[in-house]
Amino acid sequence: MEMNAKRIVLFASGSGSNAECIIRHFSKHPMVEVVCVLTNRLDAPVLERCNRLNMSAFYFNRHAFFHSDAVLRQLDGLSPDLIVLAGFLWKIPEMIIHRFSGKIINIHPALLPKYGGKGMYGNHVHEAVKQSGDPETGITIHFVDAFYDQGAIIEQIKTDVTPGESVAAIAERVHALEYDHFPRVIEKVLFGEK
């Protein structure tokens, strides 16, 4: 790895499929290194993925995240150029947002500002899209600020929704967009490309 390689820290709460996609994408990149995955769930399958991929991972509890500077200190020690939320469900504390201003990004499985906010994640989002009858959905990659899903949008990628389509089918297509585009947009943000 190059001395000046860009460093990424991932936050994940669930299965970690996006985290694995990102780790694999950058594993052979000479100028980018995923240095650690942080999770708020001891039973998160992302930890098994990290073991399989020989990726460092750490668990933290609610107190460490919201009521102390333990996670902030860990991040300071990791010196990330970018913090990437890859299926992470907790709101980021303001002290972390302040310290890493403009260096935290998230992916949301809908076209924000639609279907964002607290509790809008995973199949909750896809169900809302289906119920609304919207003709399209997609993904939004955005910067993280102090409010759920309200940070500046970096990029949106759309896909059509067919009338009568199942929630599972919508979710599958949105996941495919995530895997195809999230690593590319991360790289774009890291290197300041337009």
Side-chain angles (χ1 to χ4, degrees), residues 9-183:
V9 172
L10 301 176
F11 278 75
S13 294
S15 79
S17 58
N18 266 315
E20 179 167 349
C21 183
I22 293 162
I23 292 164
R24 288 190 182 282
H25 178 85
F26 290 111
S27 65
K28 294 181 176 68
H29 196 295
M31 292 302 297
V32 180
E33 181 181 9
V34 178
V35 293
C36 192
V37 175
L38 301 179
T39 185
N40 59 323
R41 283 186 45 210
L42 265 177
D43 61 345
V46 69
L47 292 172
E48 294 166 27
R49 290 181 194 262
C50 289
N51 281 333
R52 191 167 26 83
L53 296 166
N54 295 317
M55 172 58 54
S56 296
F58 292 95
Y59 159 78
F60 56 86
N61 64 15
R62 185 171 287 280
H63 183 82
F65 196 54
F66 292 112
H67 305 293
S68 80
D69 65 351
V71 174
L72 180 62
R73 282 187 285 117
Q74 176 124 23
L75 288 169
D76 282 340
L78 292 166
S79 302
D81 294 286
L82 193 64
I83 297 168
V84 177
L85 310 186
F88 184 72
L89 301 182
W90 287 355
K91 188 174 171 192
I92 303 298
E94 289 199 28
M95 66 179 160
I96 293 176
I97 291 170
H98 179 72
R99 179 74 55 90
F100 294 97
S101 177
K103 292 184 176 184
I104 308 172
I105 66 172
N106 182 45
I107 190 165
H108 186 77
L111 300 172
L112 293 173
K114 288 184 171 183
Y115 314 113
K118 186 174 174 133
M120 292 304 286
Y121 61 90
N123 279 344
H124 299 289
V125 174
H126 307 310
E127 184 68 45
V129 168
K130 178 178 169 60
Q131 293 303 319
S132 75
D134 277 4
E136 63 184 11
T137 188
I139 60 172
T140 302
I141 299 162
H142 64 94
F143 287 103
V144 173
D145 64 13
F147 306 97
Y148 276 113
D149 301 324
Q150 292 185 25
I153 291 172
I154 301 163
E155 195 166 317
Q156 290 185 310
I157 298 98
K158 299 176 181 179
T159 185
D160 292 335
V161 176
T162 307
E165 189 171 19
S166 71
V167 170
I170 295 169
E172 187 176 331
R173 231 178 18 270
V174 169
H175 282 307
L177 290 179
E178 292 173 353
Y179 305 150
D180 286 347
H181 294 281
F182 203 14

